[in-house]
């Protein structure tokens, strides 16, 4: 299943998270298993300090470049026009790719820490626009952006963000930004869709999973999918990698969706 971004570039409906994968053998096994199971979107970031090993792991699979969707992120210390361009080049080399499918700003500079936060974000975004125009990235977007960041960015941007990756899982439903992105045709992605694993022992999740004869992880991921938000589950465990992409066609009822939303 794919979504179409606002620039008509296609993006897979589920992705594979790579935060905390730090060992080459582990990366090789996990990425190979993920591609075999049918994941094609691989979410990376320079902050995860594993771009080289993920790049090597992708190379070791021999995967056809056109059939995978690789996403990277510029970290906070590299904000600004020139620094972002330099950071992207490092990322591209470490991942051993000619182009990235999506490149995202990892976090907005915010008013809490920077007086000139809007200018910093605008300059970082200008670099992403240049990379996009040069064909070095197929889509550009942001992470962890609130409505005020997006509204401010719009004032200077030539290209609208195509993606916004935020924390999104049962119990954490950022309703305002979700509605805004739906209206503005900005595709959302869900980070920590399993609550970093902690949601899987939740009684509400377990009860709903039991009713559908599915695992708690599958219920959390289906909750994202039914909201048309792309989940990015991470696992290095073969059985879980398979389980997380084998959601099947079961559907959560409206009542169950609401119960999951309201988990505290
Ligand atoms: N943009 C951002 O600011 C941001 C922030 C955080 C994360 N992210 C992205 O989002 C991805 C996912 O988030 P995340 O890594 O925090 O957490 P997650 O995917 O919500 O959960 C991962 C944890 O759950 C376990 N797990 C996975 N599948 C399972 C299953 N079926 N049953 C039981 N346990 C399972 C994993 O263990 P094992 O690996 O041991 O199997 C791991 O400990 C990251 O990897 C990263 O790519 C982005």
């Amino acid at each position: 299943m794919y979504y179409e971004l606002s620039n008509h570039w296609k993006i897979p409906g589920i992705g594979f998270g790579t935060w905390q994968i730090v060992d080459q053998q582990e990366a090789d096994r996990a990425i190979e298993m993920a591609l075999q199971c049918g994941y094609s979107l691989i979410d990376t970031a320079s902050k995860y300090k594993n771009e080289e090993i993920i790049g090597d792991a992708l190379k070791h699979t021999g995967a056809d470049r056109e059939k995978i969707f690789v996403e990277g992120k510029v970290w906070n210390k590299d904000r600004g026009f020139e620094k972002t361009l330099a950071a992207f080049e490092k990322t591209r080399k470490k991942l051993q790719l000619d182009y990235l499918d999506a490149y995202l700003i990892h976090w907005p500079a915010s008013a809490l820490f920077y007086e000139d936060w809007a200018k910093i974000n605008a300059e970082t975004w200008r670099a992403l626009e240049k990379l996009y125009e040069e064909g070095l990235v197929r889509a550009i977007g942001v992470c962890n952006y609130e409505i005020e960041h997006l509204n401010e960015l719009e004032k200077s941007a030539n290209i609208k963000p195509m993606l916004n990756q935020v924390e999104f899982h049962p119990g954490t439903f950022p309703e305002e930004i979700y509605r805004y992105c739906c209206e503005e045709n900005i595709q959302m992605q869900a980070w920590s869709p399993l609550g970093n694993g902690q949601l899987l022992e939740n009684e509400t999740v377990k009860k709903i999973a039991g009713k559908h004869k599915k695992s708690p992880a599958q219920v959390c991921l289906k909750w994202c999918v039914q909201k048309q938000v792309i989940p990015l589950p991470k696992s290095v465990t073969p059985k879980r990698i398979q389980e997380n992409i084998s959601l099947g066609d079961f559907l959560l009822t409206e009542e169950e969706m609401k119960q999951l939303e309201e988990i505290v």
Side-chain angles (χ1 to χ4, degrees), residues 16-20 43-45 48 73 75 104-107 143-144 165-167 169 190-198 200 215 217-218 221 232-241 243-244:
F16 186 74
T18 62
W19 180 37
Q20 293 173 324
D43 181 68
T44 74
Y48 305 162
K73 307 186 194 91
W75 184 238
L104 314 177
I105 298 179
H106 207 142
W107 284 91
C143 304
N144 303 303
Q165 186 182 120
V166 301
E167 183 176 9
H169 50 75
W191 61 255
S192 294
L194 311 174
N196 201 242
Q198 282 162 33
L200 308 177
S215 73
Q218 288 170 323
L221 298 170
L232 305 167
K234 172 264 174 187
S235 177
V236 292
T237 313
K239 182 180 158 292
R240 294 174 175 174
I241 295 173
E243 178 185 311
N244 293 346

Side-chain angles (χ1 to χ4, degrees), residues 88-138:
F88 174 79
E89 197 45 31
K90 275 192 199 156
T91 285
R92 199 172 66 85
K93 286 204 175 117
K94 285 182 182 172
L95 288 169
Q96 304 170 53
L97 298 173
D98 292 337
Y99 68 91
L100 261 64
D101 295 272
Y103 196 51
L104 314 177
I105 298 179
H106 207 142
W107 284 91
S110 74
L112 200 60
F113 300 109
Y114 300 93
E115 226 172 87
D116 57 345
W117 62 274
K119 187 163 170 249
I120 298 172
N121 291 335
E123 283 298 285
T124 310
W125 186 250
R126 196 160 67 81
L128 265 63
E129 289 180 331
K130 179 173 159 67
L131 295 168
Y132 179 72
E133 275 155 7
E134 287 177 353
L136 291 167
V137 294
R138 302 290 196 249

